[in-house]
Amino acid sequence: MLLISIVAGPMFLLWLFMSRLSGVRWTVGAVLASLSVLGGLLALWQPRALWEILIAVVVLGSSSVITGRWTERRRVGRAPVRWSANLFAGWLLIVLCGLGVLLRPGPFVPATDLVLPLPDGLTATPSSSEEGICGSGSCTRTITVTGRPGQSGADLLSEVRAHLQVRGLPDQACRPMGWLLDTSATCVELSTSDTAVTIALSGARSAPGR
């Protein structure tokens, strides 16, 4: 929601400054405000599609501004280009370049809140994000899980596996983090010792097979 507002807010303000006719100004302004609200709601409902929603807001919003300028030109004739129009063009170029850079998939250190908190009674010791090990297109961090007093290793492993299933991260599987444009994925793998289970979370450029 915040990212949508950061992109849509300047578009709305620059349009108010560059418009010349009250009717066109507030019609296009209402469209831009509606796009911002709708984009924010869609991002909350489907966070995996954030980048696609953001691009749609930029494209539809820019198209609305261009249409508004064309409508004003037909009604009142050509006018000198205002500073706000130049700022709008510069802002749009910066946004598009920024999106192009951010949408280049790369390895990342996964957040522990994909797994934590654990069920009551289990103790988690996560490695810090600075301790993530990167290589071969992915970054991995670990969470060491110890069980309750007297709990067997096999029972602990079964409980951790069940917890990951509920979180949508089954053992030896990957979960896409984005939708169409963002191909990055978080993968999980379990290993065991006599008294603990280690969860290895990997942030990869793309899920295997994508």
Side-chain angles (χ1 to χ4, degrees), residues 14-209:
L14 289 171
W15 163 250
L16 293 184
F17 282 112
M18 77 173 69
S19 62
R20 295 183 288 161
L21 296 177
S22 177
V24 178
R25 176 185 299 121
W26 296 114
T27 298
V28 174
V31 172
L32 295 176
S34 300
L35 284 174
S36 177
V37 173
L38 180 60
L41 293 176
L42 288 174
L44 290 175
W45 174 61
Q46 191 60 262
R48 280 182 54 192
L50 174 62
W51 294 113
E52 289 80 5
I53 294 169
L54 190 60
I55 291 173
V57 168
V58 172
V59 171
L60 294 176
S62 300
S63 300
S64 300
V65 170
I66 293 171
T67 301
R69 292 280 291 179
W70 177 79
T71 302
E72 289 183 336
R73 182 174 176 179
R74 288 193 61 187
R75 292 184 182 180
V76 298
R78 189 171 183 175
V81 177
R82 296 187 177 187
W83 60 267
S84 51
N86 290 328
L87 279 179
F88 182 85
W91 167 86
L92 184 59
L93 179 62
I94 291 172
V95 168
L96 293 177
C97 290
L99 289 174
V101 172
L102 292 173
L103 281 172
R104 294 180 63 184
F108 61 96
V109 179
T112 56
D113 58 8
L114 292 171
V115 171
L116 303 179
L118 294 173
D120 292 341
L122 302 186
T123 302
T125 306
S127 63
S128 68
S129 58
E130 291 77 13
E131 294 173 350
I133 300 173
C134 298
S136 301
S138 67
C139 293
T140 302
R141 70 187 305 179
T142 59
I143 302 173
T144 302
V145 182
T146 53
R148 305 172 187 86
Q151 186 173 20
S152 68
D155 183 61
L156 175 60
L157 178 60
S158 297
E159 188 171 1
V160 171
R161 277 180 172 160
H163 173 72
L164 293 178
Q165 288 278 358
V166 172
R167 288 295 187 108
L169 281 169
D171 183 18
Q172 306 292 340
C174 297
R175 185 175 74 181
M177 301 304 293
W179 186 38
L180 297 176
L181 300 177
D182 182 3
T183 61
S184 61
T186 296
C187 304
V188 64
E189 185 174 355
L190 300 181
S191 59
T192 62
S193 64
D194 292 337
T195 59
V197 171
T198 299
I199 305 172
L201 293 173
S202 300
R205 290 191 180 95
S206 62

